Amino acid sequence: MSDTPARTDPHGPSPAMRTDAPTDPSPSGSSNADRPTIGPSYRLRSLFIAASLIAAIALPALVSDYRLFQFTQVWITAIALLGLNLLTGWCGQVSLGHGAFFAIGAYCSALLMSHAGMPDWLTLIPCALLCLGAGWLFGLPAARLEGLYLALATFALALALPQILKHRLLEPFTGASQGLALDVALAPT
């Protein structure tokens, strides 16, 4: 017999060592746990998404133009917050420059509407692609950073972008300190 004490796992026994685990869950050898199930949370989520889409489609007919404008502003802010939630909540990264990418998309949309004459809804795809490219280019060197250093790099982007947009070479496009003046978009009828 050995004098050394038995080692125990602080996380409990492994599933292979458990005595209460079934030996053969089914004749085919696969358990029901391996099969995806559609539970109440999936149905509830699907119902919520369907109700949200129906409400979004019906909203212009139910509210005034001013209220529609307010709901649109809320949804725009929600999109930015969902992106930030994806970065900080799911990935655990701290970003202080999230607004810089939001500004890139906003300036792209404004430039396409004012200089190219595109309708506002048609600017969504090019602006999203530009923001994707800008984020990817910024993310290449920033991918090696973590924690405080990543937060400082994104903060530097947030501080640098307004100064870049005010530069004299970009002033004809961005309007420098005055920004861009656009015609107010008409509410859908």
Side-chain angles (χ1 to χ4, degrees):
M1 208 158 88
S2 172
D3 290 334
T4 59
R7 292 190 302 175
T8 59
D9 188 5
H11 304 291
S14 68
M17 297 175 59
R18 289 180 42 201
T19 57
D20 61 340
T23 55
D24 189 15
S26 68
S28 65
S30 66
S31 69
N32 287 338
D34 295 339
R35 296 184 196 148
T37 59
I38 298 176
S41 65
Y42 177 79
R43 289 186 189 111
L44 186 63
R45 187 180 316 139
S46 299
L47 183 65
F48 177 74
I49 290 171
S52 297
L53 287 175
I54 290 170
I57 291 170
L59 193 64
L62 300 175
V63 298
S64 67
D65 291 344
Y66 180 70
R67 292 288 181 215
L68 184 64
F69 172 75
Q70 286 181 324
F71 279 118
T72 304
Q73 295 301 315
V74 167
W75 281 110
I76 289 170
T77 306
I79 291 170
L81 290 176
L82 285 173
L84 189 58
N85 182 35
L86 177 68
L87 183 66
T88 56
W90 287 87
C91 298
Q93 302 295 327
V94 177
S95 173
L96 300 173
H98 195 71
F101 297 111
F102 201 65
I104 289 171
Y107 266 102
C108 175
S109 180
L111 287 170
L112 289 175
M113 285 190 292
S114 65
H115 294 312
M118 291 176 73
D120 52 359
W121 59 271
L122 198 57
T123 64
L124 289 175
I125 293 175
C127 294
L129 292 175
L130 178 69
C131 288
L132 174 78
W136 184 72
L137 286 174
F138 182 78
L140 284 176
R144 292 180 175 84
L145 303 174
E146 60 184 37
L148 178 65
Y149 299 108
L150 178 65
L152 289 174
T154 58
F155 185 59
L157 176 68
L159 289 178
L161 188 67
Q163 301 306 316
I164 292 170
L165 294 173
K166 293 177 191 174
H167 193 271
R168 62 182 168 86
L169 294 175
L170 295 177
E171 187 175 349
F173 301 106
T174 63
S177 297
Q178 300 299 318
L180 292 174
L182 296 175
D183 294 331
V184 177
L186 299 175
T189 56

